[in-house]
Amino acid sequence: MLPSESQRLASVAADVPLQQRLRDLEAVLAITRSMAAESDLTRLLILLAAACSKVLHVERTSIWLVDPTTGELFTRVAEGVDAIRVPKGRGIVGAVAEQGETVLIADAYADARFNPEVDLKTGFRTRNILCVPLRDIDGTRVVGVVQSLNKASGEAFSPYDVELAKIIAAQAGVVLEQAALRESALERKRLQAEMDLARHIQQRLLPRESPQLSGLDIAGVNIPATETGGDYFDYIPLPDGRLAVVVADVTGHGLGAALIMTAARAFLRGVCCRQSDPAVLLETCNDLLEKDLEAGNFLSLCLAAFDNGDCTLQYSSAGHDPPLVYRPAEDTFVELESTGPLLGIVPGSSFEVSPRLPLQQGDVLLFMTDGLFECMSLEQETFGKDRLKDVVRRSVAQSSKVILSELLAATSQWTGGQPQRDDITAVVVKVVPPG
């Protein structure tokens, strides 16, 4: 207790027996010691409410904390009632939090700020009220409010009660703020651990190695913008012996998009066990997704089926950004346009399958999501597909893995170290000599 607090208490305690003053001071010290030893915020609030009721000789005490995000006041501990939230400035506790001044009310029902709804719900009758602000360690910011109701003796709150409550609040405010900060830090740590686990699980669903297919050199990568993302790629053996290369992009990113991605991957893999036609695969997957997705949720997807026997490609694309085919022998790029709508929006949508596209040795195919070419420079200029094509052209003699690395390096340099704004997924397929 600070000397100034002790002096204020002494100045209003002339009519209070010395024995009672000593007991009260001992009780305040006991409260301070108990709070210092308690690290759990909820138990600390319960301890403070019970101690205030005992020391001030009141029927009920509630502890209100200020939500730093919304400015609302909320109580986890209100003896006799459930937890409540009120806007800052509303009601008596709201006024104390907003103005930072102690409020003493002799007749609650005569005060326009008093809300009798809690009394009506619980059958409790509020007579008089003492509200004291809880301040932070600097004493400049209100972090909560202590509200005590009804002197047990039926008398009014005295100036001595007010000073005693202020002393308790001065000790409690600092301890509660520290406990709230610890709890917030622990909650952030817990959430981060959950997000790390979600990221780990999602990354394990992606291919861990490239497929070994005669005549094709394949490499893929997925880089989410946050812990989890809505892009994905996959390699799926089809019943007719072909290999399906899949790249998809769920609207948005983050945990919600990741959950949709996981569902889409499961649906597609399940359907691929019994069907090889790319168009039928997308039609079935679309209908399954449409039943589960809410309005505004959808995904684009491209599925390309490679046949290494005669080195041809067939594909179906659901509103996905066109994959690029680079033919170095002719120095030309071909874009594989969509053959159907986005997935998960309209049930019964139909998709077309492309004619078989012959591939030549040295051809490079790039399947990607828009995060690869829509990344922004410091001057807010997009990387664009023309620069993407230039990277493919100058690295075409390299392996698919090196081509992919060159693409990522070029886009990373373009952004100038800015945080990634969208998920990035890309798969490079290069036609090589069989063997």
Side-chain angles (χ1 to χ4, degrees):
M1 187 188 305
L2 297 174
S4 58
E5 295 171 343
S6 180
Q7 290 168 3
R8 289 201 312 270
L9 186 63
S11 68
V12 296
D15 298 330
V16 179
L18 178 60
Q19 203 70 19
Q20 180 182 337
R21 280 184 275 168
L22 291 174
R23 285 198 303 268
D24 289 341
L25 290 176
E26 288 176 357
V28 171
L29 290 173
I31 294 171
T32 304
R33 286 194 296 267
S34 298
M35 287 193 299
E38 181 56 70
S39 59
D40 181 80
L41 180 58
T42 300
R43 290 198 297 266
L44 189 57
L45 293 169
I46 294 171
L47 171 67
L48 179 58
C52 286
S53 293
K54 181 178 179 180
V55 173
L56 297 174
H57 305 285
V58 297
E59 293 179 5
R60 287 186 179 178
T61 297
S62 57
I63 311 297
W64 299 76
L65 299 179
V66 176
D67 187 326
T69 304
T70 65
E72 290 182 315
L73 283 106
F74 65 96
T75 174
R76 294 186 189 176
V77 180
E79 295 176 300
V81 299
D82 295 329
I84 308 168
R85 295 184 77 93
V86 297
K88 193 173 183 179
R90 182 179 297 179
I92 296 168
V93 292
V96 171
E98 187 172 57
Q99 299 166 13
E101 300 292 338
T102 297
V103 169
L104 180 61
I105 299 174
D107 183 354
Y109 280 81
D111 193 297
R113 294 169 297 181
F114 176 68
N115 183 354
E117 289 183 7
V118 175
D119 280 9
L120 294 173
K121 289 180 181 179
T122 63
F124 183 79
R125 176 74 180 185
T126 303
R127 298 189 306 274
N128 45 24
I129 301 172
L130 174 58
C131 270
V132 183
L134 297 168
R135 296 185 178 277
D136 63 5
I137 194 167
D138 297 322
T140 57
R141 182 170 57 88
V142 175
V143 296
V145 175
V146 176
Q147 179 178 255
S148 294
L149 308 178
N150 299 354
K151 286 289 288 185
S153 61
E155 300 173 355
F157 285 101
S158 68
Y160 175 79
D161 293 323
V162 175
E163 291 304 323
L164 196 60
K166 287 182 178 179
I167 291 172
I168 296 172
Q171 314 300 317
V174 174
V175 176
L176 287 175
E177 184 188 28
Q178 291 173 338
L181 289 173
R182 286 195 300 269
E183 184 178 80
S184 179
L186 288 172
E187 179 65 11
R188 288 196 300 271
K189 186 176 181 180
R190 183 188 66 79
L191 290 174
Q192 186 60 54
E194 290 185 358
M195 292 303 295
D196 289 344
L197 177 60
R199 179 187 179 95
H200 176 71
I201 292 172
Q202 185 182 28
Q203 290 296 308
R204 284 186 63 83
L205 294 178
L206 298 171
R208 279 176 265 181
E209 56 185 26
S210 298
Q212 301 300 312
L213 199 63
S214 178
L216 295 177
D217 176 26
I218 304 174
V221 69
N222 169 263
I223 308 172
T226 56
E227 283 86 351
T228 56
D231 285 6
Y232 88 99
F233 72 99
D234 204 355
Y235 311 126
I236 309 174
L238 298 177
D240 64 3
R242 291 185 295 173
L243 174 73
V245 172
V246 181
V247 174
D249 185 358
V250 177
T251 179
H253 51 81
L255 188 56
L259 292 172
I260 296 173
M261 179 278 283
T262 303
R265 175 187 180 276
F267 286 151
L268 189 57
R269 277 187 161 254
V271 175
C272 284
C273 290
R274 294 179 294 179
Q275 178 59 247
S276 298
D277 186 299
V280 176
L281 290 170
L282 266 57
E283 289 167 3
T284 307
C285 192
N286 173 72
D287 291 344
L288 291 170
L289 285 167
E290 189 277 331
K291 293 177 182 178
D292 286 351
L293 299 187
E294 295 181 350
N297 290 330
F298 53 85
L299 67 151
S300 65
L301 184 146
C302 181
L303 186 150
F306 288 90
D307 187 334
N308 67 329
D310 55 8
C311 204
T312 59
L313 160 71
Q314 270 191 315
Y315 77 94
S316 286
S317 177
H320 197 75
D321 286 297
L324 297 177
V325 180
Y326 177 54
R327 300 188 182 279
E330 305 162 6
D331 191 25
T332 58
F333 281 89
V334 178
E335 292 192 350
L336 307 181
E337 298 291 345
S338 293
T339 62
L342 295 161
L343 297 180
I345 300 178
V346 181
S349 295
S350 60
F351 297 82
E352 296 180 3
V353 62
S354 70
R356 288 185 178 269
L357 178 69
L359 300 174
Q360 303 171 15
Q361 188 171 311
D363 286 356
V364 173
L365 297 92
L366 175 59
F367 302 86
M368 61 200 155
T369 58
D370 55 12
L372 184 65
F373 57 86
E374 289 186 353
C375 59
M376 307 284 284
S377 68
L378 294 172
E379 291 75 28
Q380 300 301 298
E381 182 182 358
T382 58
F383 187 74
K385 288 190 176 180
D386 287 340
R387 293 184 181 88
L388 205 69
K389 292 176 181 178
D390 288 341
V391 175
V392 173
R393 181 181 285 111
R394 67 172 178 258
S395 58
V396 68
Q398 307 299 321
S399 68
S400 62
K401 186 175 181 180
V402 173
I403 295 171
L404 189 56
S405 296
E406 291 292 324
L407 287 166
L408 296 177
T411 54
S412 177
Q413 183 179 8
W414 181 256
T415 61
Q418 296 180 91
Q420 187 177 322
R421 304 193 333 185
D422 197 4
D423 303 328
I424 294 175
T425 298
V427 175
V428 173
V429 180
K430 182 175 180 180
V431 184
V432 294

